[in-house]
Amino acid sequence: MAKPTLRFNKNGKFRVLMVSDMHLGVNPKLKEDYNYKVIRGLDALIENTNPDFVMIGGDQCLNFDTAEKVKAKFEEIIEPITSRKIPWGAVFGNHDRECGINLHEEMKIYESMPYCLAEAGPEEISGVGNYQIPVLASDSDKIKYNLWAMDSQHQVKDFIGKFGLNEDTRFVMPNHLVDGSGDGCPLFDQVMWYYNKSVGIEKENGKKVPGVMFMHISLPEYITIMRNPEECGAIGSKRESGCATEMNSGLFLASLQRGDIKGYFFGHDHLIDMQGEYCGITMACDAAIGYNMSAHDDLRGGRVIDLYEDGGLETYMVKLIDILGRSAMRDEDYFEGGCRYHIRTL
């Protein structure tokens, strides 16, 4: 099947729906597999938002031991996307490296599925799932926007071997810079890949092409927004400390110097859907859509990112509880969210 082409509509608009943290593998601590609610939630979000493209933002957690099982489960889960013939992509999260088959095998499964535009990316750079997708003009084949995907890796302790450091090397210190998280980040060769590809796209098009970038684990600069909400015009919820990496790869500064990235969008933090702007770049989380992990009923949903042919961008959250009501809750007898985690409903 030929890969679909992304294009702005006649009104100069292109809509992306981002959903993250499906956590699809059965949680042995739970008596029931709640994956069916993920399917219904994804279907409701798509029906409500009518996206031109869906980005799956990591921690699919397809915890199955064979490629056949992974493919069968994932086909079932994303049926609301493929049945509507919507192009889609995906990035991997930290927990995807702890589940089922390896990421190269999993990405091959994605690439074989209908309407998928995700790619493993260049073999010579770190990570799996570093790629760029052009969105063409409404009336020509000129590139008007780029969708960038970046693998944010697993944990910083994985870098001990990569960098040839002593086994007892500590990346996270008691007086840490961000939140003390041991989570991973893109490596510098990935940053160089983005930078050089961005330069090449500018040369080919005669000007910079605006873009947005998707990854699972947030950048340290996103913490700046959460710590300075008024100055950064932040809106949304922050019910946990943001788990950005302590290791700064320089990706944000590289994109600031290039001047083409208009927004960064993350998964990973299940209880955060805050959005704000730092140095002219929008940054936001999309909370989570899954049920087999920590999540709040009033945050669970997806993020809409509206791109405009003139280079503009708007974004907002769509909550499942607003669409589906109580049936969107993990347990309809208890509300999980707000100031307290468990609140019995009437």
Side-chain angles (χ1 to χ4, degrees):
M1 176 182 292
K3 295 288 186 181
T5 298
L6 305 186
R7 188 180 297 276
F8 282 93
N9 65 24
K10 62 181 181 180
N11 297 317
K13 185 175 179 179
F14 186 88
R15 173 165 289 182
V16 178
L17 171 66
M18 183 179 183
V19 294
S20 301
D21 296 272
M22 292 179 168
H23 285 261
L24 299 174
V26 177
N27 188 333
K29 296 180 180 179
L30 300 176
K31 296 180 181 179
E32 183 180 2
D33 178 5
Y34 285 89
N35 289 347
Y36 76 93
K37 288 196 172 186
V38 175
I39 301 172
R40 187 179 59 175
L42 180 59
D43 184 74
L45 286 171
I46 293 173
E47 188 68 22
N48 181 269
T49 62
N50 192 28
D52 300 299
F53 180 84
V54 177
M55 176 58 78
I56 300 170
D59 278 4
Q60 288 76 264
C61 295
L62 292 158
N63 194 17
F64 307 97
D65 57 1
T66 68
E68 291 75 19
K69 291 179 182 178
V70 168
K71 184 176 183 181
K73 175 57 69 172
F74 203 51
E75 284 178 338
E76 174 186 332
I77 295 294
I78 68 167
E79 190 275 340
I81 302 173
T82 56
S83 65
R84 292 175 171 89
K85 301 181 179 181
I86 301 172
W88 60 278
V91 294
F92 289 122
N94 52 312
H95 289 305
D96 289 316
R97 288 170 162 81
E98 303 165 0
C99 295
I101 61 178
N102 70 59
L103 296 190
H104 288 282
E105 290 180 282
E106 190 165 326
M107 184 57 83
K108 286 182 181 179
I109 293 171
Y110 293 7
E111 291 174 340
S112 72
M113 296 176 72
Y115 314 107
C116 178
L117 294 177
E119 300 177 1
E123 293 183 1
E124 65 272 15
I125 69 170
S126 302
V128 181
N130 304 295
Y131 57 93
Q132 164 263 337
I133 307 170
V135 184
L136 305 183
S138 57
D139 58 359
S140 74
D141 287 340
K142 291 183 179 179
I143 301 176
K144 288 294 185 177
Y145 236 104
N146 282 307
L147 308 181
W148 296 86
M150 185 75 79
D151 185 358
S152 54
Q153 305 287 337
H154 180 224
Q155 295 179 333
V156 290
K157 67 180 183 181
D158 300 334
F159 302 157
I160 291 175
K162 289 179 181 291
F163 300 162
L165 302 173
N166 293 329
E167 290 184 4
D168 59 353
T169 297
R170 295 177 63 186
F171 287 101
V172 181
M173 297 295 174
N175 295 316
H176 42 76
L177 290 172
V178 185
D179 78 320
S181 169
D183 291 322
C185 65
L187 295 181
F188 190 64
D189 60 344
Q190 295 171 261
V191 178
M192 289 191 296
W193 165 79
Y194 149 71
Y195 192 94
N196 292 332
K197 192 168 184 64
S198 171
V199 170
I201 291 171
E202 181 182 4
K203 289 180 179 178
E204 290 175 4
N205 289 271
K207 61 179 180 180
K208 286 183 171 66
V209 177
V212 290
M213 189 172 290
F214 303 92
M215 66 182 69
H216 185 68
I217 299 170
S218 61
L219 298 176
E221 289 81 4
Y222 181 55
I223 304 298
T224 299
I225 290 176
M226 290 193 283
R227 290 180 178 175
N228 301 274
E230 292 187 10
E231 293 81 357
C232 296
I235 60 173
S237 298
K238 175 187 176 296
R239 298 178 184 170
E240 61 179 326
S241 61
C243 292
T245 179
E246 287 294 305
M247 301 298 291
N248 196 323
S249 64
L251 177 58
F252 185 85
L253 185 57
S255 63
L256 200 60
Q257 183 175 351
R258 283 296 305 140
D260 58 353
I261 298 298
K262 304 301 180 184
Y264 282 97
F265 299 97
F266 315 108
H268 191 49
D269 292 311
H270 305 167
L271 308 184
I272 298 176
D273 67 3
M274 182 172 282
Q275 67 185 65
E277 187 176 297
Y278 179 55
C279 295
I281 298 178
T282 297
M283 308 182 85
C285 271
D286 66 353
I289 194 175
Y291 289 84
N292 285 4
M293 73 297 179
S294 62
H296 279 182
D297 292 324
D298 56 336
L299 295 185
R300 188 179 288 111
R303 177 167 290 280
V304 169
I305 303 110
D306 284 334
L307 308 178
Y308 295 94
E309 202 164 355
D310 63 4
L313 176 155
E314 294 178 334
T315 184
Y316 59 91
M317 283 293 298
V318 178
K319 311 294 181 61
L320 287 182
I321 201 166
D322 293 333
I323 304 173
L324 298 173
R326 292 170 66 112
S327 65
M329 295 161 54
R330 190 199 313 261
D331 182 343
E332 293 187 30
D333 292 329
Y334 288 87
F335 170 71
E336 301 178 62
C339 296
R340 295 175 60 190
Y341 194 81
H342 292 281
I343 303 175
R344 183 180 293 277
T345 58
L346 299 176

